[in-house]
Amino acid sequence: MSRYLALRLSGAVPTLLGVSILTFLFIRLIPGDAIAARLGTSTALTPEQLAGLRAYFGLDQPLPVQYWSWLTSLLRGDAGYSIRTGRPVLVEIGERLPATLELAAAAALIALLVGLPLGLLSAMRPRTRLDVAARIGGLVGLSLPSFWLGTLIVLVFSLHLRWLPNTGGYVDFLRDPIANLALLLFPAITLGVALAAATMRMTRSAMLDVLGADYVRTAAAKGLRRSLIVRRHVLKNGLIVVVTLLGIQVGQLFGGAVVVEEIFSIPGVGRMLLTAIVQRDYALVQGGVLVIAILFVVVNIVVDLLYGYLDPRIRLS
Amino acid sequence: MREPVALIGLVLVLSYIAAALVVGWLPLRDPLQISTQRLAPPTAEFPLGTDALGRDLLSRILFGARLSVQVAVVSVALATVVGGVLGLVSGYLGGIADLGIGRVMDVFFAFPAILLALGIVAALGPDPKNVIIAIAVVYTPIFARIVRGPVLALKARDFVEAARAIGATQTRIVVRHIVPNLLSTLVVQVSLALSWAVLTEGALSFLGLSAQPPAPSWGVMLSEGRQYVEFAAHLAIFPGIAIMVAVLGFNLLGDGMRDALDPQQQR
């Protein structure tokens, strides 16, 4: 297993390097002058001033040199400074990361708690009313835009029923756990619905495949109880497929969080990113994109490891 | 449940596309025409009500379909062609081409889809044209990967071998024998990609990164409507229904076609 772990981790290095190159080049895509963009000013600069600033920021160097110095300072924990606040980018992100991680984790939890059992039940009783309802629910859930669902939830639960303040927001879990969870519930549902629907559909289809397998028929022919067959033979084999497919989807939550944080005014990395985009605070945008991409890669590695644990064949090959 | 699903999907998709095509000829008010009847609920005069500037919501939603269809269709077409060619080259040639393309695509896969689109639009500027580029970039690697696998399998099949034996050129083999066998897979994926494209265009314009006001865009209408949700809920409801109809339509159609084309999945 440790060999598999080492193999998997080293395999991520080229990907992470690629991510850093792409994120670095991102700032080059910006139309107009990079200096003006970095300074966030529209004031006209004299050519001499511009050249001076260019040299100061190292922009007169060839691209590979610039990339190398950006990467090495990044590895030392320096991702530059926010133009608006003047504070280090990584400090700005670090402060907002807990809210985003908590939101994504809660959404994933909701998706699993709803999607797995529904998918399983639906597969065990195909063509029943429950199955049809779950499948329609799955398709609708996949098609619900989160930015609309969030608005509807605010409309119903905060404006009509007055169950939550319509300002939304975020309270530190350590300061007030109950307020934290109360504010978390609706955003997590908004973010989790699509994943719950996807989970339900994947679980259903994976379980149906396994239920139709020869070894399950053999087990039934031997006279094993159905509940035992499901527990021993169906669940684990079906879950292997679900875990792989789910891995890709769970990481997508970090992207969806941008929208949900905006709707519910949660001060997370996603909302920071949007504000930074509007204010043309490119160092912060670059840092935010990089951090979320790294999180995404890490989640995928964890899922791969889980996959290796569930299915020994993967580890050995 | 198999065929009715595809049929419902087809009806929804066709009504979405038809709205976009014929909206210019319909006897509607100008979607940008402001009036004194602000935030009016649905009436005979304004079937879906009016927004904060007194503009007709029905007209704005139907014109919104045009923008949505344009962005979704052009971006997915670009991704299908570019991704399809990359996948063909990768799978058919193999070797260094395959390795190189695979590595570059892996980097794009290392970003959450919506974040990648957001980053591209942030760099290029908020405009529907840039949203098209962003969605195309996100979906190109996906199509490359979808095409590569079947190409690998097809390359080894006897009929390709036979074509090669009678002296068919590489181009002829690819065009006449490989590509036609990919179409059924592609059709399903195109439908699902369109559903994602509609959603993403909606999300980006909701966040203010696509069409700018006063353009009739569903995402912009939703984000404007959000401010008045307390007094005029219809503003926050109808544009959302429009997006959902389109997305659901493509999802149903894609699902239905997959079931119909793939005998293994039939259940």
Side-chain angles (χ1 to χ4, degrees):
Chain A
M1 190 74 195
S2 59
R3 209 180 128 255
Y4 176 67
L5 179 72
L7 203 72
R8 195 59 196 81
L9 284 178
S10 61
V13 172
T15 310
L16 285 173
L17 270 179
V19 165
S20 72
I21 293 176
L22 206 64
T23 321
F24 168 77
L25 288 177
F26 154 80
I27 216 158
R28 310 269 135 203
L29 277 173
I30 300 157
D33 191 75
I35 293 281
R38 283 202 178 187
L39 293 178
T41 57
S42 50
T43 16
L45 296 168
T46 65
E48 291 78 35
Q49 281 175 314
L50 212 63
L53 283 168
R54 217 172 261 288
Y56 178 76
F57 283 112
L59 290 174
D60 51 349
Q61 303 283 324
L63 268 187
V65 175
Q66 288 184 39
Y67 170 70
W68 181 249
S69 73
W70 179 72
L71 186 69
T72 45
S73 52
L74 198 66
L75 291 176
R76 284 195 306 268
D78 173 15
Y81 293 83
S82 159
I83 290 158
R84 294 289 148 180
T85 61
R87 300 168 66 215
V89 163
L90 291 181
V91 171
E92 294 273 358
I93 293 171
E95 280 174 3
R96 293 172 172 89
L97 205 51
T100 302
L101 289 177
E102 197 189 340
L103 174 63
L109 189 69
I110 289 174
L112 287 180
L113 288 179
V114 175
L116 278 179
L118 269 184
L120 189 61
L121 282 176
S122 188
M124 306 260 301
R125 298 182 174 74
R127 289 167 217 284
T128 57
R129 234 179 266 169
L130 176 101
D131 180 36
V132 172
R135 292 174 69 187
I136 293 175
L139 273 166
V140 171
L142 269 191
S143 312
L144 262 177
S146 63
F147 48 94
W148 187 46
L149 180 63
T151 310
L152 291 184
I153 285 180
V154 170
L155 179 66
V156 173
F157 292 101
S158 83
L159 295 174
H160 282 276
L161 299 174
R162 311 220 166 262
W163 285 5
L164 95 162
N166 64 345
T167 46
Y170 178 77
V171 177
D172 196 332
F173 182 80
L174 294 176
R175 195 175 305 153
D176 187 348
I178 293 175
N180 170 288
L181 293 177
L183 283 173
L184 184 65
L185 183 64
F186 289 117
I189 290 175
T190 306
L191 185 58
V193 160
L195 185 61
T199 308
M200 178 259 147
R201 284 159 55 94
M202 289 184 293
T203 309
R204 179 180 182 277
S205 135
M207 294 299 166
L208 276 178
D209 280 344
V210 180
L211 282 168
D214 286 341
Y215 60 84
V216 171
R217 201 180 318 145
T218 309
K222 278 197 310 196
L224 280 186
R225 276 196 326 269
R226 193 161 156 84
S227 60
L228 194 67
I229 297 175
V230 169
R231 241 182 307 145
R232 281 273 173 79
H233 297 283
V234 178
L235 267 183
K236 196 167 172 183
N237 286 305
L239 281 180
I240 292 171
V241 184
V242 176
V243 164
T244 355
L245 294 172
L246 209 62
I248 308 164
Q249 307 271 339
V250 167
Q252 300 289 352
L253 289 175
F254 293 120
V258 176
V259 179
V260 174
E261 285 176 8
E262 176 67 14
I263 297 172
F264 290 96
S265 317
I266 297 168
V269 178
R271 196 150 186 262
M272 176 204 82
L273 207 57
L274 283 174
T275 317
I277 288 172
V278 173
Q279 298 181 334
R280 303 174 80 82
D281 192 343
Y282 289 112
L284 207 52
V285 177
Q286 208 173 24
V289 170
L290 190 68
V291 165
I292 296 181
I294 290 173
L295 278 177
F296 186 55
V297 173
V298 169
V299 167
N300 285 341
I301 292 175
V302 171
V303 169
D304 263 17
L305 295 178
L306 205 59
Y307 190 32
Y309 166 77
L310 279 172
D311 190 349
R313 283 171 303 184
I314 305 297
R315 250 178 294 166
L316 297 175
S317 63
Chain B
M1 186 158 152
R2 207 176 76 231
E3 289 180 6
V5 161
L7 198 64
I8 298 170
L10 190 65
V11 169
L12 295 180
V13 166
L14 286 180
S15 44
Y16 164 70
I17 293 174
L21 291 178
V22 305
V23 67
W25 291 292
L26 295 179
L28 291 164
R29 284 162 197 278
D30 182 344
L32 304 180
Q33 175 73 53
I34 51 183
S35 77
T36 50
Q37 288 187 295
R38 295 186 182 152
L39 300 175
T43 55
E45 196 188 352
F46 300 102
L48 298 183
T50 63
D51 68 4
L53 296 173
R55 295 174 295 199
D56 180 24
L57 199 61
L58 176 67
S59 166
R60 290 180 66 73
I61 284 183
L62 289 175
F63 274 95
R66 189 147 81 179
L67 183 71
S68 175
V69 167
Q70 278 169 353
V71 171
V73 169
V74 177
S75 60
V76 172
L78 278 174
T80 310
V81 172
V82 178
V85 169
L86 287 175
L88 263 178
V89 169
S90 200
Y92 192 76
L93 295 183
I96 291 190
D98 186 26
L99 201 72
I101 293 173
R103 270 282 169 239
V104 174
M105 295 299 142
D106 275 353
V107 172
F108 285 94
F109 277 117
F111 292 88
I114 184 98
L115 182 80
L116 183 58
L118 194 80
I120 294 169
V121 176
L124 297 178
D127 186 281
K129 284 195 200 82
N130 297 332
V131 171
I132 289 177
I133 296 173
I135 294 175
V137 169
V138 171
Y139 253 86
T140 296
I142 297 177
F143 276 108
R145 188 175 278 187
I146 287 165
V147 165
R148 180 181 172 272
V151 170
L152 281 177
L154 287 168
K155 196 169 68 166
R157 292 277 293 276
D158 288 342
F159 64 88
V160 173
E161 196 58 45
R164 196 171 294 135
I166 60 169
T169 60
Q170 300 280 31
T171 325
R172 189 180 160 85
I173 292 175
V174 168
V175 174
R176 294 296 295 271
H177 298 285
I178 306 253
V179 171
N181 283 296
L182 293 170
L183 290 181
S184 62
T185 315
L186 272 181
V187 160
V188 172
Q189 292 303 326
V190 163
S191 189
L192 299 176
L194 283 167
S195 85
W196 189 82
V198 174
L199 261 184
T200 306
E201 196 281 327
L204 290 174
S205 63
F206 178 82
L207 296 174
L209 296 170
S210 181
Q212 298 298 312
S217 144
W218 291 342
V220 172
M221 289 157 77
L222 269 182
S223 85
E224 285 174 352
R226 228 158 60 89
Q227 303 160 32
Y228 307 100
V229 69
E230 220 162 334
F231 333 101
H234 62 277
L235 288 180
I237 290 174
F238 293 128
I241 292 177
I243 298 178
M244 201 175 129
V245 162
V247 177
L248 187 62
F250 285 120
N251 273 333
L252 288 171
L253 189 63
D255 257 30
M257 285 191 301
R258 175 166 48 203
D259 288 353
L261 293 169
D262 184 356
Q264 297 232 299
Q265 292 278 317
Q266 271 182 30
R267 49 179 67 111

